[in-house]
Amino acid sequence: MLDIRDLSVRVEDREVLHGINLQIGGGETHVLMGPNGSGKSSLLMTIMGFGNYSVTSGSILFKGTDITQMPIHERAELGIGMLFQRPPAIAGLKLGKLLTATSQLGGEAVEALAQSVNMEDFLTRDINVGFSGGEIKRSEVLQLKVQQPEFIMLDEPESGVDLENMALMGREVAHLLEKDVHIIDRHRSGLIITHTGYILDYVDADQGHVMIDGQIRCHGNPREILKVVQEKGYKECLRCKQM
Amino acid sequence: MQTDVNELEQLSQKDKERLALTGLDLEMTNRCGSFFQIDQDVVHTSCAAEGIEILPIAVALEKYDWVSDYCWKAVPKDKDKYTEYVAKQEMPQGVVVIAHEGARSETPLQACLFLRQEKVQHVHNIVIAREGSEIHLISGCASSAQKEHGAHLGVTEIYVGKNAKVTSTMIHNWSPGISVFPRSMAIVEEGGIFLSNYVCMQPVKKIQMYPTARLAGKGAVGRFSSIVVGTPGSHLDLGSRAILGAEGTSAELITRAITTGGTIISRGHVLGETDKTRGHIECKGLILKDGIIHAIPEIEGHLTGTELSHEAAVGKIARHEIEYLMSRGLNEEEATATIIRGFLDVKISGLPEVLQKQIDDAIDKAESGF
């Protein structure tokens, strides 16, 4: 579904990603770990197409189409969706209005979908204005439920979320990624940035990657990588690269 | 009651459309009363609401001798050369709205002032809301599509009595050669509420106004909301002022200004004269194209018991907000328009549908040049 080849990315004067290679097949969920500032969010922002992230070499293929220079909204139309860690608050823009404008399921579906993530009282609120951490995440999940993307990127879905919201988030993300569908019939793919790995209690991941200093240093079983990092820290991943 | 239906019907289709844009409802479906002045002629007055009267000023002064007590009480005759000009007129025109004690109407009254041929249109309006009454006014001011040059001088005095409520929504729809000098003052008594909404999104040569509310009675509330667009060649010098003159009074002054090339000076002044008072000024400006937005919020406290604040921000639309919406599937134009619509959302109640559409159109126009 997603095929990233030798991707280097610059933000202003600084190269933040160096020669990234990453392939995610249909129905697969991958996890991206790595220390703060290593470039994980930059990779997601680049895949989504944000203007600050300019690709200096390499390419991004999505469902066989080269999207490297494609505008953001066309990528969204192709089926890429993203759960933002810190989305902007936009005064005056009602959450319900945005959902109706972007709904792939028709405007009528919005109310019921909002109820499914306890957001029905937020439809008339300005988007993300005065939302708590958990509310922001529920709003993001709701936007993705309305958008129905085939490939979903989640930037730290656990951050700022309490235990109760974590369970709801986990359940919803699993549903979005068709974890309740038999593996043969599962088409949707995901790329999840996580520090804590809590999301893995709800969403089984197929592959893990560790990013350090703008490079993917190792690949492997996500649970095992998490265990190594928890016990020995990311320096172990540096050693892994040196081997 | 006085109606000259012919005068209304004689208006060109284009002029009728321009009037509709200011909120004038010629069918009167959602209006409980109406006043219509073309140049210096009052062509229509009617009112169906019980206890509420709409009268040309000359008729009102004749009918009730106490109306003269309200004449030039809030706005001094010698305030400036424009008020002096209006005051010296031998045949004053304008509308007097009287809501008698306890009279209430949620359906708006409309007053329309239309500048068609004369060089200068002058009006003197008086709104008297007596104790416990409630009225909503929509005043639309426009000029004929053919009118290239002219001036509108309007004096408006608003008296909000004890526990009365007045909502005044003013919509301007002038032409690029027209200069406009409204002079308004409201005096709000104990427990009274005065809400003033102002919308101007069409080209005009110059508008200069600084409407003021004196919150004179305990617990009185004032709120000014303005939505303005400065098009190329327009010079808008706008402001609003609230004087917190009695215990427990509060005021809020809110402005959303967009320039597509014109100059907007957005003034605001809250004066805390008394104990236990609160005031806030909020001015947000968006510069879509080269133009000037100059926000001058002033807060002036005269004692410890007044709490005043202001926030002002001028800038462009944040790129990451546009991109965030694009990631949900909106294209750049849709995302920009969505953010601008949100920016302009200051919850003006009683806004007519045609005006909402006009705001949307103005945004579409603004965004094409973005």
Side-chain angles (χ1 to χ4, degrees):
Chain A
M1 182 168 282
L2 184 77
D3 186 358
I4 295 176
R5 293 178 195 163
D6 192 31
L7 185 76
S8 294
V9 172
R10 191 179 281 276
V11 175
E12 288 166 2
D13 297 337
R14 203 165 64 90
E15 190 170 277
V16 293
L17 298 176
H18 322 287
I20 302 287
N21 286 290
L22 180 67
Q23 284 78 39
I24 301 176
E28 290 179 9
T29 297
H30 290 213
V31 170
L32 189 57
M33 286 173 273
N36 292 324
S38 60
K40 304 183 299 297
S41 291
S42 293
L43 178 60
L44 264 53
M45 299 300 261
T46 305
I47 296 170
M48 196 69 243
F50 272 68
N52 274 351
Y53 300 82
S54 46
V55 174
T56 52
S57 71
S59 61
I60 307 168
L61 298 176
F62 181 66
K63 293 195 292 185
T65 305
D66 189 331
I67 61 164
T68 318
Q69 301 301 331
M70 194 180 264
I72 302 170
H73 71 280
E74 289 180 20
R75 300 182 198 216
E77 280 162 19
L78 265 187
I80 300 178
M82 180 159 172
L83 181 139
F84 291 79
Q85 192 191 352
R86 281 185 287 271
I90 304 178
L93 174 55
K94 304 285 173 268
L95 175 62
K97 203 180 161 200
L98 178 64
L99 294 170
T100 307
T102 56
S103 178
Q104 297 297 313
L105 306 165
E108 316 77 56
V110 168
E111 183 79 36
L113 289 174
Q115 279 174 9
S116 73
V117 288
N118 305 329
M119 286 300 281
E120 63 271 29
D121 295 339
F122 290 75
L123 294 176
T124 51
R125 291 263 303 265
D126 292 358
I127 198 158
N128 299 326
V129 175
F131 286 20
S132 71
E135 287 158 1
I136 284 177
K137 288 295 178 341
R138 268 152 49 209
S139 155
E140 289 287 301
V141 163
L142 175 57
Q143 290 178 56
L144 290 174
K145 286 186 80 163
V146 160
Q147 197 184 347
Q148 292 288 314
E150 284 174 71
F151 173 63
I152 302 166
M153 298 184 286
L154 302 114
D155 193 350
E156 291 193 39
E158 308 99 333
S159 71
V161 178
D162 62 28
L163 284 174
E164 200 177 328
N165 275 310
M166 192 57 233
L168 186 146
M169 282 280 299
R171 194 180 71 224
E172 291 295 338
V173 169
H175 184 63
L176 276 169
L177 289 169
E178 297 181 323
K179 294 300 180 190
D180 41 4
V181 172
H182 193 279
I183 191 161
I184 299 166
D185 299 319
R186 193 183 297 151
H187 301 293
R188 291 192 179 168
S189 309
L191 179 57
I192 304 175
I193 296 179
T194 177
H195 283 295
T196 62
Y198 295 152
I199 191 77
L200 300 179
D201 294 342
Y202 304 91
V203 182
D204 287 328
D206 304 283
Q207 270 242 50
H209 312 273
V210 176
M211 185 178 274
I212 294 174
D213 293 336
Q215 290 177 308
I216 291 182
R217 294 293 180 102
C218 73
H219 309 277
N221 178 300
R223 288 268 178 207
E224 280 183 31
I225 294 177
L226 191 67
K227 193 157 174 269
V228 170
V229 171
Q230 276 168 346
E231 285 170 4
K232 299 182 176 169
Y234 284 113
K235 61 180 189 296
E236 191 66 13
C237 300
L238 276 173
R239 201 170 71 87
C240 173
K241 173 76 175 182
Q242 283 155 3
M243 276 162 67
Chain B
M1 280 232 216
Q2 176 188 345
T3 313
D4 187 343
V5 177
N6 287 337
E7 279 275 5
L8 282 177
E9 284 177 355
Q10 273 168 19
L11 288 170
S12 72
Q13 191 56 37
K14 208 166 180 189
D15 283 349
K16 281 182 186 168
E17 281 167 18
R18 286 180 73 79
L19 287 169
L21 289 176
T22 67
L24 184 80
D25 186 346
L26 290 170
E27 304 294 319
M28 292 286 291
T29 34
N30 291 308
R31 301 289 183 265
C32 75
S34 188
F35 172 88
F36 190 17
Q37 177 176 335
I38 296 178
D39 293 331
Q40 289 310 118
D41 301 319
V42 177
V43 296
H44 174 92
T45 56
S46 66
C47 191
E50 203 176 318
I52 298 172
E53 294 184 80
I54 298 185
L55 304 165
I57 189 164
V59 176
L61 285 165
E62 216 167 89
K63 187 170 178 181
Y64 299 111
D65 51 7
W66 48 264
V67 168
S68 60
D69 297 340
Y70 292 92
C71 227
W72 300 107
K73 188 179 142 199
V75 178
K77 279 183 185 178
D78 58 355
K79 183 179 159 62
D80 59 25
K81 63 181 179 183
Y82 303 108
T83 55
E84 280 171 3
Y85 180 91
V86 176
K88 75 177 185 202
Q89 296 300 319
E90 284 174 10
M91 298 271 289
Q93 291 298 358
V95 60
V96 174
V97 177
I98 301 165
H100 292 284
E101 206 173 306
R104 285 166 177 266
S105 176
E106 288 198 358
T107 317
L109 304 157
Q110 63 184 6
C112 178
L113 303 161
F114 192 60
L115 183 56
R116 190 165 59 180
Q117 283 162 344
E118 286 199 29
K119 205 171 145 204
V120 178
Q121 180 181 52
H122 56 85
V123 292
H124 184 187
N125 305 316
I126 302 173
V127 177
I128 303 163
R130 311 202 89 163
E131 188 173 338
S133 64
E134 177 177 339
I135 45 170
H136 299 264
L137 293 168
I138 290 186
S139 23
C141 299
S143 50
S144 166
Q146 288 85 42
K147 186 93 182 101
E148 282 177 6
H149 300 283
H152 169 92
L153 313 178
V155 171
T156 302
E157 302 183 85
I158 298 172
Y159 303 91
V160 184
K162 195 175 171 187
N163 297 321
K165 179 180 177 182
V166 172
T167 304
S168 167
T169 300
M170 181 158 76
I171 299 152
H172 276 173
N173 191 11
W174 304 103
S175 318
I178 311 285
S179 298
V180 186
F181 303 93
R183 296 292 180 259
S184 306
M185 173 89 187
I187 296 177
V188 189
E189 301 297 340
E190 185 179 335
I193 299 172
F194 175 61
L195 308 176
S196 166
N197 304 313
Y198 176 64
V199 177
C200 178
M201 308 191 79
Q202 290 297 313
V204 59
K205 185 178 173 190
K206 182 174 186 177
I207 298 181
Q208 187 208 60
M209 60 184 213
Y210 211 146
T212 300
R214 166 170 275 282
L215 306 176
K218 245 182 171 178
V221 174
R223 180 180 157 132
F224 289 91
S225 310
S226 306
I227 296 177
V228 295
V229 172
T231 54
S234 297
H235 185 99
L236 310 175
D237 187 342
L238 310 169
S240 38
R241 174 181 284 130
I243 300 162
L244 307 173
E247 208 177 279
T249 54
S250 62
E252 201 175 12
L253 280 45
I254 296 171
T255 301
R256 296 287 182 272
I258 291 180
T259 177
T260 58
T263 298
I264 300 172
I265 301 167
S266 176
R267 303 175 193 272
H269 182 205
V270 179
L271 170 59
E273 283 184 342
T274 321
D275 225 9
K276 295 178 186 162
T277 51
R278 278 185 299 120
H280 182 66
I281 301 175
E282 179 188 298
C283 175
K284 291 186 183 171
L286 265 188
I287 300 176
L288 291 188
K289 277 174 98 175
D290 294 339
I292 296 170
I293 296 179
H294 185 172
I296 313 172
E298 292 180 61
I299 46 179
E300 181 182 347
H302 284 197
L303 68 179
T304 52
T306 186
E307 255 180 76
L308 309 176
S309 57
H310 78 76
E311 55 175 309
V314 174
K316 62 176 182 179
I317 302 176
R319 187 68 208 165
H320 67 277
E321 292 182 11
I322 295 175
E323 295 193 325
Y324 177 61
L325 298 186
M326 287 176 76
S327 77
R328 301 300 185 218
L330 303 183
N331 67 34
E332 185 158 356
E333 289 71 33
E334 290 166 341
T336 306
T338 302
I339 292 167
I340 295 175
R341 288 204 176 100
F343 174 82
L344 293 176
D345 179 33
V346 285
K347 295 172 202 74
I348 292 188
S349 56
L351 204 64
E353 203 176 297
V354 280
L355 181 73
Q356 190 57 57
K357 192 178 171 305
Q358 190 201 0
I359 291 173
D360 291 347
D361 288 349
I363 291 164
D364 290 343
K365 273 183 207 157
E367 136 212 350
S368 62
F370 182 67

